[in-house]
Amino acid sequence: MKIVFVGPTLPDAAEQTGNGTNIIIAPPAKQGDVMDAVSAGATVIGIVDGYFEYVAPVWHKEILYALSCGCTVLGAASMGALRACECAAFGMKGIGRIFEDYQEGLRFDDGDVALLHGPAELNYPPLTIPLVNIDATLGKALERSFIDEHERDALASASRALFFKERTWKRIAQASSFSMDRIREMLTDCSVDQKREDALMLIQELQLCEDDRRAPPEWTFHTTPTWRRLYGEI
């Protein structure tokens, strides 16, 4: 059984996996969801989106537990990219540009992937823009000479000064003295949804993974109280 936790980054994930696959599309991960997936028989687990702030986020220990059980665990785009960086040394596989930026130290702030969005019932409509998408868009606009380096830096600085719940192109335009007409023109030709692109890469990798569990890794030693509780030994 393969499962991917995804929401606002790729709201059409079910369509992207194709018909007749054995991939289960689950809502953004929260603490305990990966443990439940392992208990349910998951062999491959993909993490794209995850809850935070008002809900306990997916726990590093449960990812390590999944890896210790021989599950393949992939992460990309959002919470998945963050956890993949933190758990890469234990075998979690990160995918995509956003993961690489964190892994290489080009990004440090978890808030770079955060956005405000509507509920699942409305298919997670985005209400703000994640910084990783803004940076990718500005990079493309610079490559196409739509903006120069000074303008890129001004827009990037304005976007970073905003809290993720307030980060919209309108607010960025106001803070950087750009007109919204010019912003709209830039977005028409240069808009990049980097989170979506990375999530699609994860889906492709998930489809290629063998639907079985591997031999447990060598580092699996159930000696700490946490591990023993996870395995029901105490």
Side-chain angles (χ1 to χ4, degrees):
M1 179 183 82
K2 301 178 182 181
I3 184 169
V4 58
F5 295 95
V6 61
T9 296
L10 194 66
D12 59 340
E15 299 173 17
Q16 299 299 326
T17 57
N19 296 324
T21 67
N22 63 339
I23 298 176
I24 296 173
I25 305 299
K30 61 182 184 301
Q31 191 171 108
D33 284 346
V34 170
M35 286 286 294
D36 289 343
V38 175
S39 298
T43 58
V44 185
I45 300 170
I47 303 174
V48 174
D49 291 311
Y51 287 112
F52 66 101
E53 193 174 24
Y54 301 117
V55 178
V58 59
W59 194 29
H60 303 81
K61 287 286 188 180
E62 61 186 306
I63 293 174
L64 298 185
Y65 173 68
L67 292 167
S68 76
C69 291
C71 297
T72 298
V73 186
L74 312 174
S78 194
M79 179 68 76
L82 301 176
R83 289 293 181 264
C85 284
E86 295 153 346
C87 299
F90 299 96
M92 184 174 179
K93 183 176 181 180
I95 296 170
R97 177 179 173 182
I98 295 169
F99 162 76
E100 292 172 356
D101 283 352
Y102 279 109
Q103 186 79 340
E104 294 171 7
L106 300 177
R107 292 189 183 279
F108 301 94
D109 194 336
D110 292 1
D112 287 7
V113 296
L115 80 159
L116 190 65
H117 60 82
E121 292 78 4
L122 297 177
N123 208 26
Y124 305 104
L127 303 176
T128 60
I129 313 296
L131 191 60
V132 290
N133 287 357
I134 292 171
D135 287 342
T137 297
L138 295 179
K140 186 174 181 179
L142 181 61
E143 289 177 1
R144 295 191 173 185
S145 299
F146 189 90
I147 56 175
D148 59 30
E149 291 187 2
H150 176 75
E151 292 171 324
R152 187 273 313 274
D153 292 345
L155 289 165
S157 178
S159 65
R160 280 166 169 73
L162 294 167
F163 184 48
F164 82 90
K165 293 183 179 181
E166 302 173 346
R167 192 178 288 132
T168 64
W169 283 112
K170 181 177 180 179
R171 291 292 304 275
I172 294 169
Q174 292 171 342
S176 59
S177 300
F178 270 66
S179 70
M180 271 309 298
D181 287 340
R182 191 167 180 218
I183 292 288
R184 292 189 190 97
E185 186 179 351
M186 179 183 72
L187 295 178
T188 298
D189 294 328
C190 305
S191 181
V192 179
D193 190 341
Q194 191 63 53
K195 291 183 69 173
R196 178 180 177 84
E197 291 182 9
D198 287 7
L200 288 172
M201 290 176 62
L202 182 141
I203 294 295
Q204 292 174 357
E205 183 71 18
L206 197 74
Q207 291 170 326
L208 295 174
C209 290
E210 294 292 332
D211 192 1
D212 56 21
R213 293 189 182 182
R214 303 169 296 176
E218 294 181 359
W219 54 261
T220 303
F221 298 106
H222 309 143
T223 57
T224 68
T226 297
W227 280 115
R228 293 170 63 194
R229 288 191 185 94
L230 289 174
Y231 276 86
E233 296 175 3
I234 60 175

